[in-house]
Amino acid sequence: MGASPKGRTPEQHGSADEGLRCPCCGYNLTGLPEPRCPECGTVFDWAAVRQAAANPPQIAFERARAWRKLPALVVTWATVLFAPWVFARQAVRRIDTRHALAFGVVCFASTLLGLPMGADRTLLAAWLLTAATCIVVQALLLSILDISGWRTPLRTLHYWLLIGCYTSAVMATQFVQGPPPFGSAGLRNLLQRGPFSSGRSLFGPSGGEFGWWAQLLVWLAGLGCCYWARMRRANRHAATLLPAIAILGVVLLWLYGFLVEHVGVRLYECFS
């Protein structure tokens, strides 16, 4: 029988649970002699497994196993939307690539629920591609503004891409109202007239401005909280972060408008 990590045999490990889990299926790896999961057959690296055990996931969707993934996904979705400061504290400690991508795919796919309600399929396709583009471009912008990650630019970009997947939780609310307005008239009215310019209902069939502003502000709040948590973890002074986040919000709002106006409209015209 081969030696286990640190040269110890399984008997020397003892029966105590060291918190070592298979990165694929979550099987308890404590005392195993070889870096191969007997449950799913995954070959792993002991150093990575021990590092994961020392820093367990905080996000509900990443902690849950098996059937508990579904309610955990709902909990994570609600946390991102209604308590973004809590999600930001969790994500800054640890964020998993596979879980973030799966979460983003679910949120994007949920917009398809609007199809039976008569949504414009061409508009919906253009919006999904535009939103995906927005996640990539905003990650590039945030990685540039993330001073703490300048020494590791690729890792920083990767982090903000994963944050973009989680903050796409707002996409899971858009099947009620449909995609945002494309074209100069609809978007300019939305961004220039402000959130309280229309007396229409929040989710009215005409797409009231208040509903769109609510979604935009939720999206911006999530990104702002994540930026705050990231900078505070790097010991940046809170007083300097407040104006920086305000400027960041304006830049992200402009970026959103630019992409919808130029990318979304062109995609819509190509698909039509």
Side-chain angles (χ1 to χ4, degrees):
M1 181 178 294
S4 61
K6 298 185 179 180
R8 294 182 293 174
T9 65
E11 291 76 17
Q12 288 174 313
H13 269 291
S15 58
D17 185 352
E18 296 182 353
L20 306 180
R21 297 292 184 271
C22 172
C24 185
C25 69
Y27 183 82
N28 190 346
L29 304 175
T30 301
L32 290 181
E34 298 178 356
R36 179 186 295 272
C37 176
E39 183 73 12
C40 65
T42 299
V43 177
F44 53 83
D45 178 65
W46 279 117
V49 168
R50 292 188 179 280
Q51 183 179 6
N55 183 25
Q58 305 294 316
I59 300 172
F61 185 53
E62 298 183 6
R63 291 200 315 266
R65 300 291 180 184
W67 63 269
R68 296 181 180 85
K69 284 288 186 188
L70 184 57
L73 185 145
V74 177
V75 170
T76 302
W77 174 82
T79 303
V80 173
L81 292 184
F82 304 113
W85 57 92
V86 175
F87 168 75
R89 289 199 301 266
Q90 297 170 344
V92 78
R93 294 186 60 182
R94 177 176 171 178
I95 189 168
D96 180 72
T97 301
R98 291 180 301 173
H99 285 88
L101 290 175
F103 186 90
V105 167
V106 170
C107 292
F108 268 68
S110 66
T111 60
L112 300 177
L113 296 174
L115 287 177
M117 303 172 64
D120 184 341
R121 298 190 180 191
T122 303
L123 182 63
L124 185 59
W127 165 238
L128 290 176
L129 289 175
T130 304
T133 303
C134 188
I135 288 177
V136 174
V137 176
Q138 81 182 20
L140 288 169
L141 172 65
L142 287 165
S143 62
I144 292 173
L145 298 177
D146 186 352
I147 304 174
S148 65
W150 282 358
R151 293 184 177 180
T152 55
L154 292 180
R155 185 181 301 176
T156 303
L157 176 62
H158 178 254
Y159 173 81
W160 286 112
L161 283 172
L162 300 186
I163 290 296
C165 290
Y166 272 115
T167 54
S168 67
V170 71
M171 296 284 292
T173 67
Q174 293 180 350
F175 70 91
V176 179
Q177 195 174 4
F182 283 173
S184 58
L187 189 63
R188 256 188 218 112
N189 285 338
L190 171 65
L191 298 181
Q192 292 179 358
R193 292 169 59 188
F196 302 105
S197 61
S198 174
R200 289 174 286 184
S201 63
L202 178 59
F203 296 114
S206 59
E209 282 84 353
F210 185 84
W212 295 124
W213 268 103
Q215 293 181 357
L216 280 173
L217 293 178
V218 165
W219 167 65
L220 291 173
L223 292 175
C225 288
C226 289
Y227 186 80
W228 172 279
R230 177 95 166 168
M231 293 298 100
R232 290 296 290 156
R233 188 177 177 86
N235 296 321
R236 301 296 173 183
H237 199 276
T240 62
L241 289 180
L242 291 176
I245 289 178
I247 295 172
L248 177 64
V250 173
V251 173
L252 287 173
L253 194 59
W254 174 86
L255 177 66
Y256 169 86
F258 177 86
L259 291 175
V260 172
E261 184 75 19
H262 295 280
V263 177
V265 170
R266 283 177 171 78
L267 287 173
Y268 184 71
E269 292 173 348
C270 290
F271 295 156
S272 300

